[in-house]
């Protein structure tokens, strides 16, 4: 189903519709400095096989402007994150048009799966990209952005705002500041 190309892709409406429910592979390895964790893949990501692939998503610009990468990666460059000690996963594996299409039960189960992944791969930090998803998946209804008191599977946790273009009250500048704060804590 996924194209998995290096070139930018504009999926057709049929491709997007057919991608609903499809997972995409994690970008992960043992002992990463930071494992970034989206809520779930969007349909563009499911078609292309690249995390945060939809135009308008501000993950890649915020990652660069926050100081994690020397240039702004394109989604197809995601394998290069591993050499920088960075990775990407999701709370819920199935793709959807919007994160609010997920159920509470899916998020809670995703939290359990993510905990097992953290135990197996042992990243130093988990950066969850979405306060609502973190609150639901890990049962912390009053959590705020920034470093969390709780470790998960021995991993330190930081919550970042969702970089989706739908999260309009966070500008790219504010997102970059949040990413930079995490980077300062990590390094």
């Amino acid at each position: 189903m996924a194209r998995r190309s290096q070139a930018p892709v504009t999926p057709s409406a049929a491709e997007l519709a057919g991608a609903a429910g499809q997972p995409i592979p994690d970008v992960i390895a043992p002992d990463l400095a930071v494992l970034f964790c989206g809520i779930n893949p969007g349909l563009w990501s499911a078609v292309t096989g690249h995390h945060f692939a939809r135009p308008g998503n501000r993950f890649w610009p915020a990652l660069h402007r926050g100081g994690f990468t020397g240039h702004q990666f394109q989604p197809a460059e995601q394998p290069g994150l591993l050499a920088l000690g960075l990775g990407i996963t999701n709370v819920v594996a199935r793709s959807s048009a919007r994160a609010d299409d997920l159920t509470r039960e899916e998020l809670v189960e995703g939290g359990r799966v993510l905990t097992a992944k953290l135990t197996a791969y042992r990243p130093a930090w988990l950066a969850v990209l979405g306060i609502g998803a973190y609150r639901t998946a890990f049962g912390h209804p009053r959590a705020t952005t920034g470093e969390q008191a709780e470790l998960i599977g021995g991993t330190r946790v930081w919550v970042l705002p969702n970089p989706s273009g739908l999260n309009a009250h966070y500008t790219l500048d504010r997102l970059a500041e949040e990413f930079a704060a995490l980077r300062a804590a990590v390094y």
Side-chain angles (χ1 to χ4, degrees):
M1 163 108 9
R3 291 183 187 180
R4 314 264 191 245
S5 73
Q6 293 291 350
V9 173
T10 301
S12 70
E15 287 175 311
L16 291 171
Q22 299 299 312
I24 64 173
D26 290 337
V27 177
I28 195 167
D31 304 314
L32 295 170
V34 182
L35 180 60
F36 290 93
C37 181
I39 300 168
N40 75 311
L43 298 180
W44 280 61
S45 290
V47 170
T48 64
H50 305 129
H51 294 269
F52 305 105
R54 184 178 180 87
N57 190 297
R58 287 130 351 129
F59 173 78
W60 298 105
L63 188 70
H64 170 60
R65 289 177 59 180
F68 282 99
T69 61
H71 72 279
Q72 183 177 314
F73 278 45
Q74 295 301 308
E77 295 178 277
Q78 69 185 19
L81 291 175
L82 294 175
L84 301 174
L86 307 173
I88 306 175
T89 190
N90 290 287
V91 176
V92 174
R94 84 166 173 94
S95 62
S96 66
R98 296 174 53 105
D100 60 9
D101 291 339
L102 304 174
T103 66
R104 180 185 189 290
E105 292 75 22
E106 283 180 292
L107 289 166
V108 170
E109 176 58 22
R112 285 192 282 270
V113 170
L114 184 55
T115 297
K117 202 175 287 187
L118 295 174
T119 301
Y121 285 95
R122 304 168 318 279
W125 287 88
L126 171 71
V128 180
L129 297 150
I131 188 71
Y134 174 77
R135 288 173 175 167
T136 302
F138 295 101
H140 296 292
R142 292 191 175 96
T144 60
T145 56
E147 185 173 1
Q148 306 302 301
E150 165 190 47
L151 298 179
I152 301 175
T155 297
R156 295 172 77 179
V157 179
W158 193 282
V159 176
L160 291 165
N162 184 342
S164 168
L166 299 174
N167 188 7
H169 66 273
Y170 268 95
T171 65
L172 178 55
D173 287 341
R174 280 190 64 207
L175 284 170
E177 289 171 9
E178 297 279 346
F179 276 68
L182 168 60
R183 187 182 185 290
V186 172
Y187 301 106

